[in-house]
Amino acid sequence: MGNIRETTLEIDLSALEHNFNFIKAKLKKETKFLAVVKAFAYGSDMAIVAKKLENLDVDYFAVAYVKEGVLLRDAGITAPILVLHPQPINFEELIDRCLEPSIYSPRILNSFLETAKKKRQTNYPIHLKFNTGLNRLGFWHNDISLILKKLGRETALKIISVFSHLAASEDKKEREFSLQQIESFKKISDELSEKLGSSPMRHILNTSGVLNYPEAQFEMVRSGIGLYGYGNESVIDAQLKPIASLKTIISQLHQIEPNESVGYNRAFKSKDYRVTATLPIGHADGISRQYGNGKAFVQVNGQKAPIIGNVCMDMVMIDVTGIDCKEGDEVVIFGDTLSAENFANTADTISYELLTAISQRVKRVVK
Ligand SMILES: *Cc1c(COP(=O)(O)O)cnc(C)c1O
């Protein structure tokens, strides 16, 4: 039995430091490190994780939305913060909190320029996002002249960086495509620098990009998942340490007789005598219904126990037949001994989705 008394996400800051150092060691000395802390630092705790990373001297942070950048500023983070996907409705607040927008389309450029002028800004830092094949966000190569025409005599804005995003950096079968993306990014940034007469920072690599395309570090890289302990391949996973462990306890044990059922819609039907345990964690906490009905396993006193029946909003039931356990005992959902990647794979998803789904209802504790 551990010291867990309710469903808890334990955060291990020494694991975070280990992962940071692991990725940092792959970079050239002069390459800057941007830490991606969007979605509550991949479901952990944005303020605590960002504070630790700021102490480790990361150069930049990135979040997806303005609201997340505001959370970081409220937590006292002073490093520059790139907002990857800002919306015009939040531009005034973005400027008030010294956040730096990704400018990804002519509409966003016009709108941000207008707000910056209205707020009497000069040289406000912006980051130009180009689409090189992901086809999600970004200017096209041939938008360069439009951008420069728009910014021509303007002093309100200053291009701090130019960046793009790889579509399949973790997929070795798509190496050709990724190299093409890197090549077109090079062309775009060269043309931009030449016409601009100055050289903004360039960045295209995420975690798997750092691992698979070290030659494309340019001036900065953007790492998220690696910091949290997952590297999209097992050899890397073995060298990283998951920072978050999701643990809970056994609320109640039940002796189930043959032909009884367990849970909603009677989805689990017992053929023989079983012992089940009910846990205080459900789909409202981020363990989605896909993990039910025998797909995913949790760990009780070091032994594997399947989630049986349908996952409820606030509870799951597991089969602990033959496992030595009692009410109040600790249960590991995922963590250092049970990888979130493997847990996620049982329901055909990935660590990113499982981690970021852990809801704010779950208590966070720094180990
Ligand atoms: C989320 C995100 C990242 C981080 O990717 P990881 O695979 O978690 O390292 C980097 N860049 C952009 C644009 C992103 O949206």
Side-chain angles (χ1 to χ4, degrees):
M1 191 172 134
N3 48 13
I4 294 291
R5 297 295 180 83
E6 61 180 320
T7 300
T8 304
L9 190 76
E10 285 182 343
I11 299 166
D12 181 350
L13 294 178
S14 64
L16 178 64
E17 182 164 355
H18 167 88
N19 299 333
F20 171 77
N21 288 330
F22 177 85
I23 301 159
K24 181 96 182 154
K26 309 270 176 207
L27 305 180
K28 290 174 287 176
K29 205 167 87 319
E30 62 278 13
T31 306
K32 287 191 191 323
F33 197 117
L34 178 152
V36 181
V37 293
K38 61 194 179 191
F40 300 104
Y42 288 43
S44 59
D45 185 300
M46 187 147 56
I48 289 167
V49 162
K51 277 241 173 70
K52 175 74 182 178
L53 290 167
E54 199 169 51
N55 287 336
L56 292 171
D57 261 349
V58 297
D59 300 282
Y60 250 91
F61 287 105
V63 292
Y65 300 109
V66 169
K67 188 188 271 188
E68 300 176 305
V70 170
L71 262 170
L72 288 179
R73 289 289 183 239
D74 284 346
I77 297 297
T78 57
I81 301 171
L82 163 60
V83 182
L84 294 166
H85 195 185
Q87 301 298 324
I89 178 92
N90 304 311
F91 280 166
E92 294 212 10
E93 191 177 21
L94 180 147
I95 291 175
D96 291 340
R97 305 309 299 268
C98 296
L99 306 171
E100 304 178 7
S102 159
I103 302 294
Y104 51 86
S105 72
R107 175 180 73 99
I108 294 300
L109 176 61
N110 289 337
S111 168
F112 190 71
L113 181 58
E114 207 174 286
T115 309
K117 287 205 293 205
K118 184 173 141 210
K119 292 178 81 72
R120 307 194 173 288
Q121 300 297 309
T122 48
N123 290 329
Y124 197 89
I126 63 168
H127 304 258
L128 295 181
K129 171 80 176 280
F130 280 87
N131 174 24
T132 54
L134 180 57
N135 291 330
R136 188 172 74 171
L137 286 180
F139 289 105
W140 293 87
H141 189 158
N142 58 14
D143 286 327
I144 289 180
S145 46
L146 176 150
I147 296 167
L148 293 177
K149 207 165 116 201
K150 189 83 200 167
L151 292 180
R153 291 171 304 277
E154 293 292 350
T155 54
L157 305 183
K158 180 174 180 181
I159 303 168
I160 290 285
S161 89
V162 47
F163 73 111
S164 188
H165 195 37
L166 297 174
S169 61
E170 74 281 13
D171 188 348
K172 300 204 163 128
K173 292 194 298 296
E174 293 291 355
R175 190 171 171 83
E176 209 47 47
F177 186 83
S178 299
L179 290 172
Q180 245 174 51
Q181 279 195 277
I182 291 166
E183 198 45 45
S184 47
F185 177 62
K186 227 181 252 159
K187 285 204 183 100
I188 290 166
S189 50
D190 283 352
E191 185 179 328
L192 188 82
S193 295
E194 192 192 309
K195 292 187 169 153
L196 202 59
S198 68
S199 302
M201 281 193 293
R202 299 163 296 171
H203 44 112
I204 189 169
L205 301 182
N206 63 348
T207 301
S208 290
V210 170
L211 300 167
N212 296 329
Y213 302 93
E215 68 282 6
Q217 291 174 16
F218 298 102
E219 284 72 49
M220 187 157 77
V221 300
R222 306 183 302 270
S223 178
I225 197 75
L227 289 172
Y228 307 107
Y230 296 94
N232 297 321
E233 54 176 310
S234 48
V235 276
I236 300 298
D237 284 350
Q239 298 171 75
L240 294 169
K241 297 181 180 173
I243 76 154
S245 298
L246 183 59
K247 297 178 177 175
T248 187
I249 56 168
I250 295 176
S251 285
Q252 192 178 13
L253 289 171
H254 287 286
Q255 313 291 329
I256 304 295
E257 306 213 343
N259 302 316
E260 282 196 298
S261 64
V262 175
Y264 284 134
N265 311 107
R266 309 192 62 203
F268 178 83
K269 293 233 171 80
S270 171
K271 291 192 197 68
D272 50 3
Y273 292 90
R274 315 295 308 170
V275 183
T276 67
T278 302
L279 313 180
I281 184 168
H283 64 72
D285 302 289
I287 303 302
S288 93
R289 282 169 53 93
Q290 273 119 278
Y291 296 108
N293 295 309
K295 284 225 180 109
F297 290 82
V298 300
Q299 211 172 47
V300 181
N301 294 329
Q303 288 188 266
K304 271 171 79 175
I307 298 177
I308 56 166
N310 286 321
V311 171
C312 315
M313 186 184 294
D314 313 306
M315 282 164 259
V316 298
M317 279 69 88
I318 59 174
D319 187 340
V320 293
T321 310
I323 299 176
D324 182 19
C325 61
K326 58 184 185 309
E327 293 177 357
D329 278 4
E330 185 175 294
V331 177
V332 179
I333 310 290
F334 62 75
D336 36 12
T337 51
L338 204 64
S339 125
E341 178 68 17
N342 292 346
F343 191 94
N345 290 166
T346 63
D348 294 322
T349 183
I350 55 176
S351 57
Y352 295 77
E353 186 181 16
L354 174 62
L355 294 172
T356 58
I358 302 309
S359 79
Q360 292 302 301
R361 184 164 86 172
V362 174
K363 178 175 168 183
R364 268 73 174 163
V365 165
V366 176
K367 222 159 88 174

